[in-house]
Every structure is written in C-alpha cells, then in structure tokens.
Amino acid sequence: MTFVLFGATGDLAKRKIFPALYNLFMDGKMPDSFSIVGVGRREWSDQTFQSHVEESVHTFSRRIINDASNMKTFLQAFRYSPLDVTKSDEYQSLLETVQQQEKNLSIPENRLFYLSVSPEFVDAITSNIKQSGLGTVKGWKRLIVEKPFGHDLTSARELNEKLSRTFEEEEMYRIDHYLGKPMVQNLESLVYTNPLLRAIWNKDHIVNVQITASEVVGVEERAGYYDRAGAIRDMVQNHMLQMVMMTAMQISKKGAEEVNDEKRKVMESLRPLQKEDVAANVIRGQYGPGEIKGEPVTAYENEPGVSPSSKNDTFIAARLWIDNDFWAGVPFYIRTGKRMQEKSTRIVVEFKNPLSAETAPNRLTIDISPSEGVSLQLNMKNPLNNQIEPVSIDFSANAKDVPEAYELLLFGALRGDPTFFAHWKEVELSWEWVQPILDAFEEDLVPLHLYRSGSMGPEASYQLLQEDGFKWLDHE
Ligand code: BG6
C-alpha cells in the first residue's frame, strides 16, 4: 500500500497523522510492505522529511519511543515529493516516486490518497490524480478527505460532484474525527450488545437525550476560518450531528452497511426546521469577557483577526426531534461552544421517571473526552441514614492505553472499512438540516446572546430545556 499525503508539512500531519501511522506500525497494523510519500510545497529532501516525521512522532505520539531500530525501519518507508498542487505537469514526478517505491519494495498497486490541505485545493488535486495516472491502479485506490466538506449545502454538493469524477463513493473516506473517538465508536456496540439497553433505547423509556461538546479554548489563531464558519459549521453540521446519529440509530446487526443505513434513516427522520422556527429551537451565542481558570480572557469580538462587529456564533444549543417510531416525542438537545467552563464531550440519556419527584431519574452518561467511560445512575438506600439516594455505577477506560482517533480512522481506511466515516448521504442531509439555520443567522432572525467566558453558555440555553420541563445535566 502506498499512502500519498498531501499537506505533509502541515500541522495536522505533524500532530496527528505521523504519530498515528507510527502507533499503527508498532501495533503491527500496517501492511507488510508500505510506502509513505509526503507531498508539500516546500523543497525538502527525503532526509529532511524523515527527520521532521521522527520529531513529530517523538513530540506527539501516545507511545513512549525507546526503540531506535523500529523507528529506523518506520522512517525508511518515507519519501518526499515537492509539488505545487495546482500545476498539472508537476504530478509526473510524484507518480515516478510512487512507482519507484512500489517497484523497489514489491508493493501492490494499492494507493491511499490523504488530503490534509485547505479546501480550495481539493478539486485541483483530485482531478490531477486522475489526469496524471496516479489514480489508475491494478489494486484499489481510496481518498481520505478532511473537513470542512463544503461551506453550505450548495458548495458541499459541488465539491462532492467534483470528487466523484475521480473517486467512487465507496472509495471516499470523509473524516469526521469525532467518529474516530473510541467512545463514539463504542456507541455501535453499547446498545447492540446489551439487550438490557436495547430494550429501553426508545421513546417508551427515554425522556430526553443531551449531547454536549464544550471547549475551554477560544478562537485561537484561526479567526480567518472560524469567523466565517461559526460553531454551526465548525461543530454542529458535522461532529454534533454525527453524535446524534450514532446515539439514535437502531442497528439490528453490526457492520458498515447497517450503521450507514441506520444513520441515514435518523437524518431522514430529523424534523426539518423552517427559517422562521429557528429562533424557537436554536440558541446562538458568542463569548464575552470572563475568566478561565482564574485568568481573565478577552471577548470574542476583541480576538485578533475577528471583525469587531462580528455576529459569529461561538456557541450553539438546539432542540432536535427525530420523527420516527423509536424517538417520536423525545427531544435531543445539543450544545457546543468555545470558552466554556470545561473541556468535555458527553452524552447523557435521561430515563422516564414515573415515581415521585423525590426519586432521581435513572441516567446513562457516556463520557467521550477527555475522560472515557460509561456510568449508570440508579437509586439505592443508603444504609447509614436509610434514605434513597442516587448512586453511580461507573466504568472508565485507562486513557493512556486508548488509541487516538486518528489511529482508528486510518486503520479503518487501510482495511477498507467505512463504518466510521461520513458518507455522502449523511453529509448532504446534515447540510440540508443546517441550511435554514445558516439562512436565519444570515438574515439576523435569531438573537445573539453574549455569554461569560468560563460559563456553560448563555442563560437562553437553559430556558430552552426549561420550556420542556428539563435541565442540562452538567457535571456535579
Ligand atoms: C475541530 C474544530 O473539528 O474540532 C475545532 O474545527 C474544535 O474548532 C475541535 O476545537 C474539537 O475537537 P476535540 O477532539 O478537541 O473535541
């Protein structure tokens, strides 16, 4: 297998891709013979590239590196090909490098192209892969593409149409790195392998589902992108909706096809919002000044690169309805934002409580990050005071041993297993659902609530749940 990495000198490659490849290699999960060809604009030699890879693995790998000979073998697989991706005639030398390695190492013609580049280059690269012959193989070819997948419904469709000229849908692996998180992947198994949960995973037993992805960081150095994207495109259209799909899907067998179908069905049942209904169901927020871990931090509008009159959303909360037999009448609440009180991604499922209000409802909490675990809240009599009290039955993984999202994702693409990638239909349906929200924001039909940095978002997001008689179940 040949792994051709466009954007090889970039940040994602350094932080995530090289360390993931190294850990897969150390776990014996790379094919017997493989070559990795890095593509970038800089005029690097193979040696410079290999040193860069080595350094990035040392800095970012979850595994401690104390074995020089394995590292040497790993690095030998790396070659570098300088290329201006917009210039068709330069692809010949890339093709030669790929073929040379295939010949020298007797590698079958299986080629995995990874685009870790700015979206404006994606079209040029894929059409040049086709034209240059890089995409003409005796074995298989696959494409891994990073988000953002479009800026709105129209641009996502255009992009997909362009990519389809070179790659079939089955050959495309669209990364949503939340689908690589071990506890998100676990959602497939959790309900499926527990008859106990399967029996109650529906509207008869569940009153609401809450999905939160809160971050402590602000916009950082990404204002150029983020001020145009907002939390709605950056987190909701992809990661949050993927988590909704993974939680709500009802699979009756395991495997990519089933997961894919059931996720699509969730999206097809998601009640569409009309532009006029957005304000009643979606809370738009932007962080104001505040404190993070005792340190004062500035408001979004004062961040470098942000336009001072920006109405960009750094926080979104929303109420979603899945109008199918399983979930009719059960609200799914999602919430995500920057500069919030804690970094935490979690799903809380609240069960119906036909007992008196003094008895706490049962709850299942799935912690996705930074800690990984599952806990079930039940009620027990405390032998010390004879009172009924909620207790929690917890499982938590040992974070050190858990593979990184990118390891699981790359391993999936190497094996040709599309289970945890975003398929076109899901992406398109997600954009369809999000589009009226984008339009309503654009036309300013939805109030922009300022929230204090270091809080859990604007008061309006609490009111959203109060309207239905619920509250956000935050960490206590
Ligand atoms: C990325 C977004 O997709 O996900 C970032 O572009 C965000 O803005 C990040 O910070 C969050 O990912 P994680 O894995 O840290 O929860």
Side-chain angles (χ1 to χ4, degrees), residues 147 177-178 181 215 222 225 234-235 239 338 343:
K147 76 174 250 260
H177 81 278
Y178 271 57
K181 292 185 188 263
E215 295 190 84
R222 300 162 74 217
Y225 150 77
D234 188 49
M235 294 291 292
H239 310 321
K338 298 215 180 267
K343 170 77 185 164

Side-chain angles (χ1 to χ4, degrees), residues 355-376:
L355 305 172
S356 70
E358 284 107 67
T359 320
N362 295 141
R363 260 183 224 170
L364 183 76
T365 303
I366 300 154
D367 277 302
I368 293 165
S369 72
S371 56
E372 286 149 329
V374 179
S375 67
L376 180 64

Side-chain angles (χ1 to χ4, degrees), residues 173-185:
Y173 291 74
R174 296 178 198 80
I175 288 210
D176 183 308
H177 81 278
Y178 271 57
L179 289 177
K181 292 185 188 263
M183 290 309 291
V184 174
Q185 297 204 347

Side-chain angles (χ1 to χ4, degrees), residues 219 223-224 227-228 286-289 298-314 448 450:
V219 63
D227 204 40
R228 292 185 58 234
Q286 187 184 88
Y287 63 81
T298 188
Y300 177 74
E301 60 176 13
N302 296 327
E303 295 273 21
V306 170
S307 104
S309 58
S310 171
K311 298 205 85 175
N312 191 33
D313 46 297
T314 65
L448 179 71
L450 281 189

Side-chain angles (χ1 to χ4, degrees), residues 53-73:
V53 172
E54 182 173 12
E55 198 192 311
S56 95
V57 174
H58 273 285
T59 317
F60 296 107
S61 164
R62 70 179 163 90
R63 203 185 227 108
I64 298 169
I65 293 130
N66 46 18
D67 180 342
S69 94
N70 276 323
M71 177 58 94
K72 200 165 160 222
T73 316

Side-chain angles (χ1 to χ4, degrees), residues 222-245:
R222 300 162 74 217
Y225 150 77
Y226 193 81
D227 204 40
R228 292 185 58 234
I232 187 74
R233 293 180 176 88
D234 188 49
M235 294 291 292
V236 174
Q237 182 273 331
N238 36 63
H239 310 321
M240 302 306 286
L241 288 179
Q242 283 291 345
M243 287 195 284
V244 169
M245 290 179 233

